Each structure stands twice: as C-alpha cells, then as structure tokens.
Amino acid sequence: MIFKFKNARQETENQVTDESVYRQRRELLKKMGYFGAGSLLASSAANAGPLDWFSSDDEVIFKTKALTFSKQTDDTQKQTPVEKATSYNNFFEFGTGKSDPVKNAQEFNVDPWSLSIGGLVEKPITLGLDDLYSSFELEERIYRLRCVEAWSMVIPWIGFSLASLLKKVQPLSSAKYVAFETLYDPKQMPGQRNRFVGGGVDYPYVEGLRIDEAMHKLTMLSVGMYGNTLPPQNGAPVRLVVPWKYGFKSIKSIVKITLTDKMPPTTWNILAPNEYGFYANVNPAVDHPRWSQARERRITTGGLLAQNRIDTLPFNGYDDVARLYKGMNLKKFY
Amino acid sequence: MLLMSPRKPIRVPRYLFIACHLAVHLAPTIWLSVIFYLGLQDELGGDPVQYLLDFTGIGALNLLVASLSVSLLAQHFKFAQLMKLRRPIGLYSAFYAFAHFTVYIAFELQFEFNMLVSEIIKRPYITIGFVALLILGLLSITSLSWIKKSMGRKWFSLHKLSYLAVLLAGFHYLWLIKSGWYEPVIYLVIAGILLFMKREKLRKL
C-alpha cells in the first residue's frame, strides 16, 4: 500500500543517499590526497577538496535547527543539492579554498549574536540570536545565486525582506545607502588571523547597497536554507541575499547594518576596483577583466558529463530590478 | 643544497630502478584516471570541472618543476640513473598540461570553439598559459629519440625553453587567482632558484 502525504517534501537524490555512504566516499577521497597541490604544498588552490590528510571532518559538526516558515511551492528550478551548497563556498574568513569554510567553520559560535542596525535612522535597534528567528515572518525563497566566478546555484533560502527590518528602524530621509559589516573575530576566523589564509583581504568584510536596492522586495536577510538555520560556512546566523547581484555582495555573518548618506566602501571593490564595482549587478554584457560573464556553470547534480553551461541573464533573470538602474551606464557602473 | 653531496656515486640495482621507472609512469596516469572517474561519479565536490582544472594545472606545474630538478639532483647525488627519468617526467607534465587544456575545452567551454579563440586572444593569462602549452608540445615531439638525435646540439638549445614554460605557467597561475598570491609565488621562486642554479648552462644557448 502506498501512502502519499499531501505535504511530504519532494525527496531529492541526495537526500536519499545514506549519510554513511557519502561519508565513506569522502573518506576515500581524503585518503587519496591531492596529487596536484598536495605533493608540493598543502594548497588552498581554488578547489582543493579531498587533500586534507591531517584533519578529519567528523568530530565537530555545527548544529543547525529546523525552522518554521512558509514554503515556496511555485518554483520548479532544479535545486543545488544541500551538500554541495554547504561544502562549496567562498567565505575567505575561513580560508580561500572552496572547501575550506566547511572544514574550518564547524566550531563557529553564533550564540550570543548581536546585529545592530543604526546610523541615519529614527529607531536604532539591536537584534539578538533569537530575535533573528522571531521578529519577522520567515519565508522560503528559492533564488539563483550567480557567483562572479561564473558558476551558479539554486538555493532555497529562509528569511525575511530587508525592507521589513528597515521599515522597523525608520530610515531618515537623508539615508541614501545601507552599509553592512561581517563579524570581526580573529579568534574564530582563521582568515582574519592570517593573511595567507584569508587571501590578503582587509577585514572585516564590508558591503553596501543603495537604499532603493536595499528596499527592493527581492532583497532578503537570510537566517536559514534547506529548511534549517544557516550553517556557518554559508554565513550563520544571518546573511544578505541579493539575487540579481554577484554572490560577493551577499555578505555573510552580519553584525552591523548602518544607514548612511555616502556610498559605503565594499571589500572586493577596495581589493580590485577595476574588477569589482559597487553595483556588481549580474550582467552578461560586461566581462570581468579576466574572464567572460556571458555564460555560467550551473551546479546541481550529476558528474562531469552532466555539467550544465547556460547563458547568464541580465540581472540574473530578475528583470524587475532593471527599473532601479534606468538611464545608468551599466558598463561604467559595473 | 641542504644535504651533503655523497662521495660515492649512487647506483641502485636494476630491479629497483625499473620499479622507479614504473612508478613514474603509473603514478600520474592512475591518479588522473581515478580523479577523472570520481568526476564522472560527481564525487569531486561542488564543481567537478573546476576541480579537474586545478588538479591538472597544478599537476602539470609540479611535474614540470620535478623534471627540471632531475639534473640538479642527479649531479648533486652523483646519481646518473636518475637522468633517465627526466624525459618521462617531462612528458607527463606535457600530458597533464594537455589534459588541462582538454578539460577547459570540453567541460569549461563545452566545445564553443569561437569562445576558445577569443579567450586565448583576450585574456592575457590564458594567452601565456597557451604559449606554455605550445612549448611543452614542441618539447614533447622533439623528445622522440630519432628527432633528438637528428637535432644534435640544437636539441639542448631548444629544450631550454622548458624554463620559459615554467615561468609562463607560474605567471598563468598568479594571474588567474582572485586574491592572495603566495602559492603561485612559491612556484615562481622555485623556478627562479632553478634558473639561478643552471645559469651557467643556460648562458650557452
């Protein structure tokens, strides 16, 4: 007899794979080491996955919790499996390799957390960890995430509109921009302790949006993904998600939001102004100086032969935001 | 050199040397096959294409550095047999470089050949990587014994291009990373040391 539950979650292939099975596979990978980088230096080359002979990933695992939220049911895009979205990350505070954050962030402590919202506002507030989950109605939003490195994922985030938070603090009319700042805690973040681990970035990581971008309904503060609270490698406990901009705009582990009248500095723009602008809107017509942005590799399931290379869409396909940039030369303001 | 030069030349028994030779052939081939197989099975993390690109690229660079170190080691340890391993190591470096290029064409560009041409022209780091690849290709072809013999002294002059290749490959790496610099710089420093130690020979072009 087959029972079908009305609200049963659609099981994806990765959810069916028994955890012990993929752990075994990972063990095998680890034992093989990494001929390329591993033989000369313990590298954090873009992608050094299974090269870690000396540490094992099975002791401490950051505990996430299930969230209560309204599900998004009208999206049919093929999602990135949760274990890829949580093990292939750019979060230089935990190392520059894509698999560094999942390895180095598991002991990250988010309790207590304090997110302060201030600057040019009527009512500055500070949210603690629990407030992040309880102050606003949580909703799921399935967004495409396009990395400036020309790969992309489809991720079910959970969170709330940044606009709801901003309305609560009541921005002054003089507020033109919103500045964001990641936690600065070298004790917990090896990339902030050591320039070689952190890729030579000046920490804390900072980002910014124009106020109309921040108020747009698509812009969200995310506190969870795939049904649970965020794991640290994805920016626990609270991060920004701006789906029409390159991923580096979606700043992680935020402690401070400041409304200001000046365009705030942004980390990648400081590091390489000719490569990363303040706006960083996804735009297939404007190449990164060193690579093309016309197409992207969509990370879902399947091995080498199933890799999906697709056209990149202006504003990552979120056309509604085009009106925010009417009359602007997007080649100049990249 | 860190280690004292031994007084007596080193010579290992024939069976041991054959084992070394075998290892030089088997290690890079089996390793690449396994990584490729894992890629097919989706066991290489989030982005198997990027993984393979990194693996083959850094593998080629490591093998190239190794092949250029062989003569120094052989000289230092008076270990003449080692010299026989130089050619296969160099050839595997070229093999990895071609695998790198093939992965780029097949999986990164998915056979968009227009894009290939425009990227080689437009992106300086790809241009120099491509030049390094051409050099390694040329050196591989001229490694055939009968070509080598017929070239005489010119062969040695030509194969000094391997030092240009390692420098180009090092800069190719340095130029493509998003931030930080220390890993490619380590390779460039090693290349610099090799060039310095062989400066006398390199002068006689």
Side-chain angles (χ1 to χ4, degrees):
Chain A
M1 194 158 195
I2 298 166
F3 290 97
K4 257 200 163 168
F5 296 99
K6 217 175 170 186
N7 287 324
R9 288 240 300 253
Q10 200 95 57
E11 296 244 296
T12 56
E13 198 190 335
N14 57 75
Q15 286 167 312
V16 177
T17 308
D18 191 75
E19 185 173 329
S20 68
V21 174
Y22 75 71
R23 283 209 177 277
Q24 267 172 23
R25 291 185 197 149
R26 283 181 189 177
E27 272 308 302
L28 168 75
L29 276 167
K30 268 204 271 171
K31 282 180 187 133
M32 289 190 43
Y34 187 71
F35 174 62
S39 53
L40 238 186
L41 40 134
S43 158
S44 57
N47 207 16
L51 87 134
D52 197 12
W53 295 59
F54 305 109
S55 75
S56 94
D57 63 344
D58 27 47
E59 287 99 41
V60 195
I61 303 270
F62 183 91
K63 291 267 182 295
T64 59
K65 281 184 300 223
L67 287 169
T68 311
F69 57 93
S70 53
K71 263 190 97 57
Q72 180 178 348
T73 50
D74 58 350
D75 192 287
T76 55
Q77 296 177 88
K78 188 173 183 191
Q79 289 178 19
T80 301
V82 59
E83 67 267 26
K84 285 197 178 185
T86 55
S87 67
Y88 192 78
N89 309 97
N90 277 323
F91 196 175
F92 282 19
E93 281 83 343
F94 293 106
T96 55
K98 296 281 186 292
S99 54
D100 289 345
V102 68
K103 278 188 323 219
N104 298 335
Q106 295 311 308
E107 288 176 78
F108 189 57
N109 184 18
V110 297
D111 193 8
W113 195 265
S114 154
L115 167 62
S116 63
I117 302 101
L120 301 173
V121 298
E122 292 281 358
K123 296 178 176 164
I125 54 168
T126 299
L127 300 176
L129 185 65
D130 293 333
D131 304 330
L132 293 173
Y133 307 114
S134 59
S135 305
F136 305 91
E137 287 278 311
L138 297 183
E139 56 187 35
E140 181 177 59
R141 298 191 190 176
I142 300 164
Y143 280 161
R144 296 178 288 278
L145 175 99
R146 169 62 157 82
C147 179
V148 73
E149 296 163 3
W151 53 266
S152 60
M153 294 184 177
V154 177
I155 299 175
W157 301 106
I158 299 157
F160 48 88
S161 285
L162 177 61
S164 343
L165 174 64
L166 293 181
K167 277 173 199 151
K168 207 167 179 170
V169 297
Q170 300 175 21
L172 303 176
S173 60
S174 54
K176 299 282 182 278
Y177 293 93
V178 185
F180 303 84
E181 195 176 307
T182 295
L183 175 72
Y184 182 73
D185 186 354
K187 277 202 189 95
Q188 291 209 72
M189 295 174 152
Q192 294 178 341
R193 277 200 301 274
N194 183 330
R195 287 187 64 79
F196 294 117
V197 179
V201 173
D202 272 325
Y203 294 105
Y205 194 95
V206 288
E207 259 305 337
L209 295 172
R210 232 169 45 189
I211 193 137
D212 57 339
E213 298 175 321
M215 294 296 287
H216 192 277
K217 61 181 193 293
L218 286 170
T219 304
M220 79 185 290
L221 281 181
S222 165
V223 296
M225 65 199 294
Y226 298 91
N228 296 314
T229 54
L230 288 173
Q233 63 271 28
N234 294 85
V238 58
R239 65 170 293 168
L240 185 68
V241 181
V242 195
W244 73 90
K245 291 176 180 284
Y246 292 121
F248 67 85
K249 292 297 286 184
S250 293
I251 182 171
K252 301 185 176 95
S253 304
I254 306 170
V255 291
K256 202 160 125 191
I257 298 177
T258 313
L259 285 93
T260 148
D261 53 356
K262 286 180 207 68
M263 185 182 274
T266 58
T267 291
W268 280 98
N269 179 250
I270 297 168
L271 209 65
N274 61 323
E275 300 193 338
Y276 311 100
F278 173 82
Y279 288 95
N281 292 322
V282 175
N283 190 344
V286 178
D287 282 352
H288 185 282
R290 289 181 287 152
W291 57 82
S292 165
Q293 296 290 23
R295 313 200 72 195
E296 68 202 48
R297 195 160 47 247
R298 177 62 54 84
I299 294 175
T300 52
T301 47
L304 272 177
L305 301 178
Q307 292 307 302
N308 248 342
R309 199 169 146 81
I310 55 177
D311 284 335
T312 291
L313 301 172
F315 302 112
N316 205 17
Y318 297 98
D319 299 330
D320 182 61
V321 300
R323 62 190 161 84
L324 302 178
Y325 309 102
K326 229 176 233 157
M328 270 176 72
N329 179 356
L330 295 177
K331 283 197 158 62
K332 194 174 162 213
F333 298 101
Y334 52 88
Chain B
M1 277 270 151
L2 295 170
L3 293 164
M4 293 278 285
S5 186
R7 241 171 266 153
K8 275 190 189 165
I10 301 176
R11 191 161 177 87
V12 299
R14 200 179 141 72
Y15 71 89
L16 205 59
F17 187 69
I18 290 175
C20 287
H21 221 124
L22 212 60
V24 163
H25 284 282
L26 292 182
T29 41
I30 293 178
W31 218 315
L32 183 59
S33 318
V34 172
I35 292 292
F36 191 77
Y37 172 77
L38 290 172
L40 292 175
Q41 301 298 312
D42 199 17
E43 295 289 339
L44 289 181
D47 190 348
V49 180
Q50 192 61 48
Y51 191 100
L52 260 180
L53 280 173
D54 291 349
F55 177 80
T56 50
I58 295 185
L61 199 45
N62 284 346
L63 287 161
L64 188 54
V65 167
S67 75
L68 294 177
S69 316
V70 167
S71 62
L72 284 174
L73 293 173
Q75 216 171 21
H76 184 75
F77 293 107
K78 299 182 180 135
F79 191 1
Q81 283 167 307
L82 263 189
M83 287 304 283
K84 289 206 171 138
L85 300 180
R86 186 166 69 168
R87 178 161 69 176
I89 296 174
L91 285 173
Y92 279 112
S93 169
F95 176 63
Y96 267 60
F98 272 91
H100 184 64
F101 190 56
T102 309
V103 170
Y104 176 66
I105 294 173
F107 300 115
E108 172 82 20
L109 298 183
Q110 303 200 340
F111 300 108
E112 285 174 57
F113 287 103
N114 297 337
M115 184 101 173
L116 174 67
V117 175
S118 70
E119 289 290 282
I120 289 176
I121 296 167
K122 255 205 267 180
R123 320 281 172 202
Y125 82 91
I126 298 184
T127 315
I128 60 173
F130 187 66
V131 173
L133 177 79
L134 292 179
I135 291 175
L136 292 180
L138 184 66
L139 301 190
S140 302
I141 294 167
T142 54
S143 291
L144 290 165
S145 298
W146 63 273
I147 296 185
K148 184 178 176 181
K149 261 178 211 150
S150 70
M151 285 181 71
R153 289 203 55 79
K154 270 187 263 168
W155 187 90
F156 290 95
S157 303
L158 181 69
H159 278 244
K160 282 169 189 161
L161 282 177
S162 52
Y163 291 91
L164 179 60
V166 76
L167 285 175
L168 290 173
F171 280 108
H172 169 72
Y173 186 11
L174 180 65
W175 215 331
L176 68 87
I177 56 174
K178 247 168 76 189
S179 75
W181 43 264
Y182 77 101
E183 282 154 349
V185 165
I186 289 172
Y187 282 100
L188 287 168
V189 167
I190 293 173
I193 293 171
L194 287 171
L195 274 168
F196 177 76
M197 296 187 73
K198 302 223 184 157
R199 62 195 181 282
E200 295 301 324
K201 279 196 172 168
L202 286 169
R203 249 175 233 154
K204 298 176 222 152
L205 268 173

